[in-house]
Amino acid sequence: MTPTMPRRPARYRSIYVSGCPVWECGRCGDRKPPATREADLRLHEDTCGQPEGAR
């Protein structure tokens, strides 16, 4: 049996798509506009990749 490794936390990073800045989740690829509130980005980071019941 392999030990479970702790998962890397999801983090949004700033990227450019067609010359426009967007926030992109490093784990799932979700993209948000640059005006997205930081609290909304953190909410996604906290729940990204978790099973539905764990949210």
Side-chain angles (χ1 to χ4, degrees):
M1 183 161 93
T2 32
T4 56
M5 297 294 291
R7 290 169 48 117
R8 247 184 9 182
R11 292 286 177 251
Y12 272 95
R13 60 183 174 230
S14 179
I15 64 167
Y16 285 84
V17 177
S18 300
C20 298
V22 295
W23 290 109
E24 181 181 68
C25 177
R27 178 177 286 153
C28 71
D30 179 53
R31 291 183 177 169
K32 302 285 185 197
T36 304
R37 295 182 319 145
E38 191 168 332
D40 293 335
L41 296 176
R42 299 295 163 251
L43 179 64
H44 175 84
E45 289 175 350
D46 291 343
T47 59
C48 182
Q50 295 182 5
E52 284 296 319
R55 294 183 185 181

Coordinates of all heavy atoms in Angstrom, one line a residue:
M1 N 0.9 -1.2 0.0 CA 0.0 0.0 0.0 C 0.9 1.2 0.0 O 1.8 1.3 0.8 CB -0.9 0.0 1.2 CG -1.9 1.1 1.3 SD -3.2 0.8 2.4 CE -2.6 1.5 3.9
T2 N 0.6 2.2 -0.9 CA 1.4 3.4 -0.9 C 0.8 4.5 0.0 O -0.4 4.6 0.1 CB 1.4 4.0 -2.4 OG1 0.2 3.7 -3.0 CG2 2.5 3.5 -3.2
P3 N 1.7 5.1 0.7 CA 1.2 6.2 1.6 C 0.6 7.3 0.8 O 1.1 7.6 -0.3 CB 2.5 6.6 2.4 CG 3.6 6.2 1.5 CD 3.2 5.0 0.7
T4 N -0.4 8.0 1.4 CA -1.0 9.1 0.7 C -0.1 10.3 0.8 O 0.3 10.7 1.9 CB -2.4 9.4 1.2 OG1 -2.3 9.6 2.6 CG2 -3.3 8.2 0.9
M5 N 0.1 10.9 -0.3 CA 0.9 12.2 -0.3 C 0.0 13.4 -0.1 O -1.1 13.4 -0.7 CB 1.7 12.3 -1.6 CG 2.7 11.2 -1.9 SD 4.0 11.2 -0.7 CE 4.8 12.7 -1.2
P6 N 0.4 14.3 0.7 CA -0.5 15.5 0.8 C -0.6 16.2 -0.5 O 0.4 16.3 -1.2 CB 0.2 16.4 1.9 CG 1.6 15.8 2.0 CD 1.5 14.4 1.5
R7 N -1.8 16.7 -0.9 CA -1.9 17.3 -2.2 C -1.4 18.7 -2.1 O -1.5 19.4 -1.1 CB -3.4 17.3 -2.5 CG -3.9 15.9 -2.9 CD -5.4 15.8 -3.0 NE -6.0 16.9 -3.8 CZ -6.6 16.7 -4.9 NH1 -6.8 15.4 -5.3 NH2 -7.1 17.6 -5.6
R8 N -0.9 19.2 -3.2 CA -0.5 20.5 -3.4 C -1.7 21.4 -3.3 O -2.7 21.1 -4.0 CB 0.2 20.7 -4.7 CG 1.6 21.0 -4.7 CD 2.2 21.3 -6.0 NE 1.2 21.4 -7.0 CZ 1.4 21.6 -8.3 NH1 2.7 21.7 -8.7 NH2 0.5 21.7 -9.2
P9 N -1.6 22.5 -2.6 CA -2.8 23.4 -2.6 C -3.0 24.1 -4.0 O -2.0 24.3 -4.7 CB -2.4 24.5 -1.6 CG -0.9 24.4 -1.4 CD -0.5 23.0 -1.8
A10 N -4.2 24.3 -4.3 CA -4.5 25.0 -5.5 C -4.1 26.5 -5.4 O -4.3 27.1 -4.3 CB -6.0 24.9 -5.8
R11 N -3.6 27.1 -6.4 CA -3.2 28.5 -6.4 C -3.6 29.1 -7.7 O -3.3 28.5 -8.8 CB -1.7 28.7 -6.2 CG -1.3 28.3 -4.8 CD -1.7 29.3 -3.7 NE -1.3 28.8 -2.4 CZ -2.2 28.4 -1.5 NH1 -3.4 28.4 -1.7 NH2 -1.8 28.1 -0.3
Y12 N -4.2 30.3 -7.7 CA -4.4 31.0 -8.9 C -3.1 31.7 -9.3 O -2.4 32.2 -8.5 CB -5.5 32.1 -8.7 CG -6.9 31.5 -9.0 CD1 -7.7 31.0 -8.0 CD2 -7.4 31.4 -10.3 CE1 -8.9 30.5 -8.2 CE2 -8.6 30.9 -10.5 CZ -9.4 30.4 -9.5 OH -10.6 29.9 -9.7
R13 N -2.9 31.8 -10.6 CA -1.7 32.5 -11.1 C -2.2 33.4 -12.2 O -3.2 33.2 -12.9 CB -0.7 31.6 -11.6 CG -1.2 30.7 -12.8 CD -0.1 29.7 -13.2 NE -0.7 28.8 -14.2 CZ -0.7 27.5 -14.2 NH1 0.0 26.9 -13.2 NH2 -1.2 26.8 -15.1
S14 N -1.5 34.5 -12.4 CA -1.9 35.5 -13.4 C -1.2 35.1 -14.7 O 0.0 34.9 -14.8 CB -1.4 36.9 -13.0 OG -1.8 37.8 -13.9
I15 N -2.1 34.9 -15.7 CA -1.5 34.6 -17.1 C -2.2 35.6 -18.1 O -3.1 36.3 -17.7 CB -1.8 33.2 -17.5 CG1 -3.3 32.9 -17.6 CG2 -1.2 32.2 -16.5 CD1 -3.7 31.6 -18.3
Y16 N -1.7 35.6 -19.3 CA -2.3 36.4 -20.4 C -2.8 35.4 -21.4 O -2.1 34.5 -21.9 CB -1.2 37.3 -21.0 CG -0.9 38.5 -20.1 CD1 0.0 38.4 -19.1 CD2 -1.6 39.7 -20.3 CE1 0.3 39.4 -18.2 CE2 -1.3 40.8 -19.5 CZ -0.4 40.6 -18.4 OH -0.1 41.7 -17.6
V17 N -4.1 35.7 -21.8 CA -4.7 34.9 -22.9 C -5.1 35.9 -24.0 O -5.9 36.9 -23.7 CB -5.9 34.2 -22.4 CG1 -6.6 33.5 -23.5 CG2 -5.5 33.2 -21.3
S18 N -4.5 35.8 -25.2 CA -4.8 36.7 -26.3 C -4.5 38.2 -25.8 O -5.3 39.1 -26.2 CB -6.2 36.6 -26.8 OG -6.4 35.3 -27.3
G19 N -3.5 38.4 -25.0 CA -3.1 39.7 -24.6 C -3.9 40.3 -23.4 O -3.7 41.4 -23.0
C20 N -4.9 39.5 -22.9 CA -5.7 39.9 -21.8 C -5.3 39.2 -20.5 O -5.2 37.9 -20.5 CB -7.2 39.7 -22.0 SG -7.7 40.6 -23.5
P21 N -5.1 39.8 -19.4 CA -4.8 39.1 -18.1 C -6.0 38.4 -17.6 O -7.1 38.9 -17.6 CB -4.3 40.3 -17.2 CG -5.1 41.5 -17.7 CD -5.2 41.3 -19.2
V22 N -5.7 37.2 -17.1 CA -6.8 36.4 -16.4 C -6.1 35.7 -15.2 O -4.9 35.5 -15.2 CB -7.5 35.4 -17.3 CG1 -8.2 36.0 -18.4 CG2 -6.5 34.4 -17.9
W23 N -6.9 35.2 -14.3 CA -6.4 34.4 -13.2 C -6.7 32.9 -13.6 O -7.8 32.6 -14.1 CB -7.2 34.7 -11.9 CG -6.8 36.0 -11.3 CD1 -7.6 37.1 -11.2 CD2 -5.6 36.3 -10.6 NE1 -7.0 38.1 -10.6 CE2 -5.7 37.7 -10.2 CE3 -4.4 35.7 -10.4 CZ2 -4.7 38.3 -9.5 CZ3 -3.4 36.3 -9.7 CH2 -3.6 37.6 -9.3
E24 N -5.8 32.0 -13.5 CA -5.9 30.6 -13.8 C -5.6 29.8 -12.6 O -4.5 29.9 -12.0 CB -5.1 30.3 -15.0 CG -5.3 28.8 -15.4 CD -4.5 28.4 -16.6 OE1 -3.2 28.4 -16.5 OE2 -5.1 28.2 -17.7
C25 N -6.4 28.8 -12.3 CA -6.1 27.9 -11.2 C -5.1 26.9 -11.7 O -5.2 26.3 -12.7 CB -7.4 27.1 -10.8 SG -7.1 25.9 -9.5
G26 N -4.0 26.8 -10.9 CA -2.9 25.9 -11.3 C -3.3 24.4 -11.2 O -2.6 23.6 -11.7
R27 N -4.4 24.0 -10.5 CA -4.8 22.6 -10.4 C -5.8 22.2 -11.4 O -5.6 21.2 -12.1 CB -5.3 22.4 -9.0 CG -5.8 20.9 -8.9 CD -6.3 20.5 -7.5 NE -5.2 20.4 -6.6 CZ -5.3 20.6 -5.3 NH1 -6.4 21.0 -4.8 NH2 -4.2 20.5 -4.6
C28 N -6.8 23.0 -11.6 CA -7.9 22.5 -12.5 C -8.0 23.4 -13.8 O -8.7 23.0 -14.7 CB -9.3 22.5 -11.8 SG -9.9 24.2 -11.5
G29 N -7.3 24.5 -13.9 CA -7.3 25.3 -15.1 C -8.5 26.3 -15.2 O -8.7 26.9 -16.2
D30 N -9.3 26.4 -14.1 CA -10.4 27.3 -14.1 C -9.9 28.7 -14.3 O -8.8 29.1 -13.7 CB -11.1 27.2 -12.7 CG -12.3 28.2 -12.6 OD1 -13.1 28.2 -13.5 OD2 -12.3 28.9 -11.6
R31 N -10.5 29.5 -15.1 CA -10.1 30.9 -15.3 C -11.1 31.9 -14.9 O -12.3 31.7 -15.0 CB -9.8 31.1 -16.8 CG -8.6 30.3 -17.3 CD -8.3 30.6 -18.7 NE -7.1 29.8 -19.1 CZ -6.7 29.7 -20.4 NH1 -7.4 30.2 -21.3 NH2 -5.6 29.0 -20.6
K32 N -10.6 33.0 -14.3 CA -11.5 34.1 -13.8 C -11.0 35.4 -14.3 O -9.8 35.6 -14.6 CB -11.4 34.1 -12.2 CG -11.9 32.9 -11.6 CD -13.3 32.7 -11.6 CE -13.7 31.5 -10.8 NZ -15.1 31.0 -11.1
P33 N -11.9 36.4 -14.5 CA -11.4 37.7 -15.0 C -10.6 38.4 -13.9 O -10.6 38.1 -12.8 CB -12.8 38.4 -15.2 CG -13.8 37.7 -14.5 CD -13.3 36.3 -14.3
P34 N -9.8 39.4 -14.4 CA -8.9 40.0 -13.5 C -9.5 40.8 -12.3 O -8.9 41.1 -11.3 CB -8.0 41.0 -14.3 CG -8.8 41.1 -15.6 CD -9.6 39.9 -15.7
A35 N -10.8 41.2 -12.5 CA -11.5 41.9 -11.5 C -12.1 41.0 -10.4 O -12.8 41.5 -9.5 CB -12.6 42.8 -12.1
T36 N -11.9 39.7 -10.4 CA -12.4 38.8 -9.5 C -11.9 39.1 -8.1 O -10.7 39.4 -7.9 CB -12.1 37.4 -9.8 OG1 -12.6 37.1 -11.1 CG2 -12.7 36.4 -8.9
R37 N -12.8 39.2 -7.1 CA -12.3 39.5 -5.7 C -11.4 38.4 -5.2 O -11.6 37.2 -5.5 CB -13.5 39.6 -4.8 CG -14.5 40.7 -5.1 CD -15.6 40.8 -4.1 NE -16.2 39.4 -3.8 CZ -16.7 39.1 -2.6 NH1 -16.7 40.0 -1.6 NH2 -17.1 37.9 -2.4
E38 N -10.4 38.8 -4.4 CA -9.5 37.9 -3.9 C -10.1 36.8 -3.0 O -9.8 35.7 -3.0 CB -8.4 38.6 -3.1 CG -7.2 37.7 -2.7 CD -6.0 38.5 -2.2 OE1 -5.9 39.7 -2.6 OE2 -5.3 37.9 -1.4
A39 N -11.2 37.2 -2.3 CA -11.9 36.3 -1.4 C -12.5 35.2 -2.3 O -12.6 34.0 -1.8 CB -13.0 37.0 -0.6
D40 N -13.0 35.5 -3.5 CA -13.6 34.5 -4.3 C -12.6 33.5 -4.9 O -12.8 32.3 -5.0 CB -14.4 35.2 -5.5 CG -15.6 35.9 -5.0 OD1 -16.2 35.6 -4.0 OD2 -16.0 36.9 -5.7
L41 N -11.4 34.1 -5.2 CA -10.3 33.2 -5.6 C -9.9 32.2 -4.5 O -9.7 31.0 -4.7 CB -9.1 34.0 -6.1 CG -9.3 35.0 -7.3 CD1 -8.0 35.8 -7.5 CD2 -9.7 34.2 -8.5
R42 N -9.8 32.7 -3.3 CA -9.4 31.9 -2.1 C -10.5 30.8 -1.9 O -10.1 29.7 -1.5 CB -9.2 32.7 -0.9 CG -8.2 33.8 -0.9 CD -6.8 33.2 -1.1 NE -5.9 34.3 -1.6 CZ -5.3 34.3 -2.8 NH1 -5.6 33.4 -3.7 NH2 -4.6 35.3 -3.2
L43 N -11.7 31.1 -2.0 CA -12.8 30.1 -1.8 C -12.6 29.0 -2.8 O -12.7 27.8 -2.4 CB -14.2 30.8 -2.0 CG -15.4 29.9 -1.9 CD1 -15.4 29.3 -0.4 CD2 -16.6 30.6 -2.2
H44 N -12.3 29.3 -4.0 CA -12.1 28.2 -5.0 C -10.8 27.4 -4.6 O -10.8 26.2 -4.7 CB -11.9 28.8 -6.4 CG -11.6 27.7 -7.4 ND1 -12.5 26.9 -8.0 CD2 -10.4 27.3 -7.9 CE1 -11.9 26.0 -8.8 NE2 -10.6 26.3 -8.8
E45 N -9.7 28.1 -4.2 CA -8.5 27.4 -3.9 C -8.7 26.5 -2.7 O -8.1 25.4 -2.7 CB -7.4 28.5 -3.5 CG -6.9 29.2 -4.7 CD -5.9 30.3 -4.3 OE1 -5.8 30.6 -3.1 OE2 -5.3 30.9 -5.2
D46 N -9.5 26.8 -1.8 CA -9.8 26.0 -0.6 C -10.6 24.7 -0.9 O -10.5 23.7 -0.2 CB -10.5 26.8 0.5 CG -9.7 27.9 1.1 OD1 -8.4 27.8 0.9 OD2 -10.2 28.8 1.7
T47 N -11.4 24.8 -2.0 CA -12.2 23.6 -2.3 C -11.8 22.9 -3.6 O -12.4 21.8 -3.8 CB -13.7 24.1 -2.4 OG1 -13.8 25.1 -3.4 CG2 -14.2 24.6 -1.1
C48 N -10.9 23.4 -4.3 CA -10.5 22.8 -5.6 C -10.0 21.3 -5.4 O -9.1 21.1 -4.6 CB -9.5 23.6 -6.3 SG -9.0 22.9 -7.9
G49 N -10.6 20.4 -6.2 CA -10.1 19.0 -6.1 C -10.6 18.2 -5.0 O -10.3 17.0 -5.0
Q50 N -11.4 18.7 -4.1 CA -12.0 17.9 -3.1 C -13.3 17.3 -3.5 O -14.0 17.8 -4.4 CB -12.3 18.8 -1.9 CG -11.1 19.4 -1.2 CD -11.4 20.2 0.0 OE1 -12.5 20.3 0.4 NE2 -10.4 20.8 0.6
P51 N -13.6 16.1 -3.0 CA -14.9 15.5 -3.4 C -16.1 16.4 -2.9 O -15.9 17.2 -2.0 CB -14.9 14.2 -2.5 CG -13.5 14.0 -2.1 CD -12.8 15.3 -2.1
E52 N -17.2 16.2 -3.6 CA -18.4 17.0 -3.4 C -18.8 17.0 -1.9 O -19.1 18.0 -1.3 CB -19.5 16.6 -4.2 CG -19.5 16.9 -5.6 CD -19.5 18.4 -5.9 OE1 -20.3 19.1 -5.2 OE2 -18.8 18.9 -6.7
G53 N -18.7 15.9 -1.2 CA -19.1 15.8 0.2 C -18.2 16.5 1.1 O -18.6 16.9 2.2
A54 N -17.0 16.8 0.7 CA -16.0 17.4 1.6 C -16.1 19.0 1.6 O -15.5 19.6 2.4 CB -14.6 17.0 1.2
R55 N -16.9 19.5 0.7 CA -17.0 20.9 0.6 C -17.9 21.4 1.6 O -18.2 22.2 2.2 CB -17.5 21.3 -0.8 CG -16.4 21.0 -1.8 CD -16.9 21.4 -3.2 NE -15.9 20.9 -4.1 CZ -15.9 21.1 -5.4 NH1 -16.9 21.8 -5.9 NH2 -15.0 20.7 -6.2

